[in-house]
Amino acid sequence: MADFAPPPGTSDISGAEAKTFRWLENTAAKVFSAYNYRELRTPIFEYTEVFTKGLGDDTEVVQKEMYTFLDRGGRSLTLRPEGTAGVMRSLMNTGVLNGVEERVYYMWPMFRGERPSAGRKRQFHQIGVENVGRVAPELDGECIAMLMNFIESIGIEGASLKINTRGLSSDRPAAAELLRNYFAGHLDEMCPDCRERFNRNIWRILDCKQPACRAIVDASPDYTGAFSPESRAYFDKVCQTLEDLNVPFTIDRTLVRGLDYYVHTVFELTHSAGLGAQNAIAGGGRYELFLPGENRPVRGVGFAAGVERLLLTREALGAKNEGGEKEKIVFLIGLGEKARRENMKLAEKLRRKGVITALEVEDKSFKSQMRSANRVGAAEALIRGDSELEKGIVIVKDMSNGEQKEIHPEEYILSC
Ligand code: HAM
């Protein structure tokens, strides 16, 4: 038999899961609107340079994970692996480069060619926000508080928020030097990947998961001491804003995040329930992002939460499916051509009133139509044949107990 499973790392979303998905999106829209954010939808693919320049050639996503193809004219296009770069491209002509503030949110599928595992997919969905155009630590704090508001609104308690500062790019050489001097003395105890990172990108050593490297990282000096006083003051102000807004957090100097555009604040939200190794349910930070053909960066702060991971976490916490309340379904059973025609008209009227209505349009036996009514989970069957048509009534059968009553169709519509 043919294999009709979707490609690895992708899935079909239907039924109760689709309803919870939509509920999550509606809740996000409600929360973000309260902070004056508006929805943005951009194309699912962009010119490849938007991502190579925007995220940085050196990032894992750009180097290994992008789905890139040529269009008919030979231009290279890429399915978006994340939302920030495309949002910046779209906002370029709004004045964000000149300090005009834009607040947008999005709920999009993203594509990364990663090795699939629980909570790690090749097509996944992010709910994200970007506050673009202005730079102020209060905005970083507000953005994080909004993330926590959203997470609590969808019934996820007990997530832990880690934050850190990456400073500005001008802060990093001195800080990297500090780390280099320290790690140089431990290189032979570290994993081969870290030895390579030592030469290529020393910051990546900080998030190595190997126990031996972990212990060395934990004892490493606080490199933020080498940042400028302004950058340190910026981070202090972010922390103060979070305290003012009653958002609990821990500072984690090993949090560097995988994308190159971050400056100053970075943050990640993890949850221990349900996810195993892929326990980051959301991540974000402040960024300076460069687009092709523009030498000034777009500045903003934002985050994205992984919808599949939010769903897995909710499930592990025993949260009930939302938006999945049983809605009443009515099934119209028609015996004979004339009754079926009348049922089509009745179905249209009921549907226009918002009643979920199913019916049989072909010539099927009563028994077969009852089976269909049961299969769709109908609460009531409305039955009629020639004699009911003559009397101007339908028989309403309560599917839970088999009780029947007669009613005029118009009266039935009014009662709905
Ligand atoms: P990110 O950390 O790469 O950040 O992704 C954000 C979230 O998307 C992750 O915390 C995770 O929940 C989810 N996610 C990432 N990859 C996968 C995957 N393969 N399968 C399932 N879920 C995944 C960004 O994308 C940034 N654009 C966030 C941001 C917005 N920073 C500033 N503004």
Side-chain angles (χ1 to χ4, degrees):
M1 195 182 120
D3 178 6
F4 294 116
T10 69
S11 45
D12 302 314
I13 300 161
S14 67
E17 192 187 5
K19 283 188 175 173
T20 307
F21 223 94
R22 178 157 301 239
W23 171 82
L24 274 187
E25 294 183 338
N26 290 343
T27 309
K30 221 194 254 158
V31 171
F32 302 156
S33 301
Y35 295 75
N36 205 22
Y37 281 70
R38 64 181 170 88
E39 184 170 11
L40 177 66
R41 299 185 192 217
T42 66
I44 224 159
F45 51 81
E46 298 277 352
Y47 290 127
T48 301
E49 310 88 83
V50 169
F51 301 116
T52 48
K53 184 98 190 280
L55 312 189
D57 280 327
D58 213 25
T59 55
E60 189 132 326
V61 171
V62 167
Q63 285 198 343
K64 300 191 194 150
E65 297 172 358
M66 298 207 303
Y67 285 99
T68 296
F69 56 98
L70 296 181
D71 73 3
R72 282 158 188 263
R75 283 285 307 250
S76 179
L77 301 171
T78 295
L79 295 181
R80 61 179 168 224
E82 61 96 63
T84 313
V87 171
M88 296 311 115
R89 199 251 331 121
S90 165
L91 294 179
M92 278 308 261
N93 51 14
T94 60
V96 288
L97 282 176
N98 303 316
V100 174
E101 185 178 352
E102 288 283 340
R103 296 178 167 223
V104 299
Y105 68 83
Y106 49 87
M107 305 169 183
W108 297 336
M110 305 289 170
F111 306 87
R112 295 185 191 176
E114 296 191 79
R115 200 160 47 80
S117 64
R120 188 166 62 193
K121 312 203 60 123
R122 291 182 172 167
Q123 174 172 336
F124 59 100
H125 297 77
Q126 285 186 346
I127 293 181
V129 310
E130 312 293 347
N131 179 336
V132 195
R134 290 181 53 206
V135 181
E138 292 84 352
L139 294 177
D140 303 22
E142 182 198 64
C143 184
I144 296 172
M146 181 169 81
L147 169 62
M148 299 316 289
N149 179 352
F150 167 56
I151 294 296
E152 282 158 31
S153 303
I154 57 170
I156 296 181
E157 304 283 340
S160 68
L161 172 67
K162 287 187 208 146
I163 70 168
N164 190 21
T165 174
R166 300 242 47 216
L168 290 171
S169 51
S170 54
D171 290 317
R172 286 187 206 150
E177 195 51 34
L178 197 79
L179 289 177
R180 198 162 286 117
N181 289 337
Y182 169 75
F183 286 125
H186 294 86
L187 270 188
D188 43 359
E189 304 150 56
M190 300 178 86
C191 75
D193 284 346
C194 279
R195 268 178 257 150
E196 203 199 312
R197 289 172 186 138
F198 181 82
N199 296 315
R200 224 182 28 164
N201 184 351
I202 196 147
W203 298 100
R204 296 243 63 100
I205 293 182
L206 295 176
D207 60 11
C208 182
K209 303 280 182 292
Q210 299 292 331
C213 302
R214 211 55 263 147
I216 296 166
V217 167
D218 286 344
S220 63
D222 182 356
Y223 55 85
T224 61
F227 286 1
S228 71
E230 292 78 16
S231 288
R232 279 185 285 143
Y234 189 100
F235 187 64
D236 290 345
K237 187 79 193 174
V238 175
C239 296
Q240 190 198 84
T241 308
L242 290 175
E243 277 157 19
D244 288 349
L245 299 178
N246 288 321
V247 175
F249 62 91
T250 52
I251 294 173
D252 180 353
R253 295 296 182 214
T254 68
L255 179 66
V256 288
R257 309 259 311 130
L259 302 162
D260 273 1
Y261 50 53
Y262 291 112
V263 294
H264 287 310
T265 324
V266 286
F267 53 93
E268 207 155 76
L269 198 60
T270 55
H271 204 293
S272 54
L275 289 169
Q278 311 304 326
N279 66 354
I281 54 178
R286 174 157 288 283
Y287 48 84
E288 291 182 350
L289 189 146
F290 288 88
L291 286 170
E294 173 56 64
N295 52 21
R296 290 172 299 168
V298 209
R299 298 188 160 90
V301 61
F303 64 77
V307 177
E308 286 77 4
R309 295 189 190 177
L310 296 177
L311 292 176
L312 286 170
T313 307
R314 276 175 46 82
E315 203 179 298
L317 292 173
K320 69 175 172 54
N321 274 329
E322 292 286 348
E325 303 78 31
K326 190 126 179 52
E327 289 160 295
K328 180 176 157 179
I329 302 175
V330 175
F331 194 97
L332 309 187
I333 293 180
L335 300 165
E337 158 91 31
K338 223 167 141 205
R340 287 203 308 276
R341 252 179 100 182
E342 288 306 311
N343 278 356
M344 286 286 291
K345 297 189 218 163
L346 178 57
E348 187 63 18
K349 287 182 185 164
L350 287 167
R351 288 163 172 169
R352 283 177 186 244
K353 281 202 77 178
V355 179
I356 305 175
T357 310
L359 77 164
E360 177 54 64
V361 293
E362 288 186 299
D363 187 13
K364 292 277 160 70
S365 70
F366 176 74
K367 225 169 143 188
S368 143
Q369 295 191 57
M370 277 301 283
R371 265 202 306 274
S372 301
N374 277 317
R375 198 168 49 79
V376 301
E380 286 176 341
L382 268 52
I383 307 160
R384 58 182 167 177
D386 289 340
S387 68
E388 286 76 21
L389 280 176
E390 249 164 58
K391 285 197 264 172
I393 53 114
V394 290
I395 298 167
V396 180
K397 187 181 180 81
D398 183 329
M399 299 293 284
S400 63
N401 55 19
E403 274 174 25
Q404 298 193 170
K405 61 178 187 218
E406 293 184 356
I407 187 169
H408 190 278
E410 294 301 327
E411 230 175 280
Y412 183 82
I413 295 170
L414 282 175
S415 74
C416 289

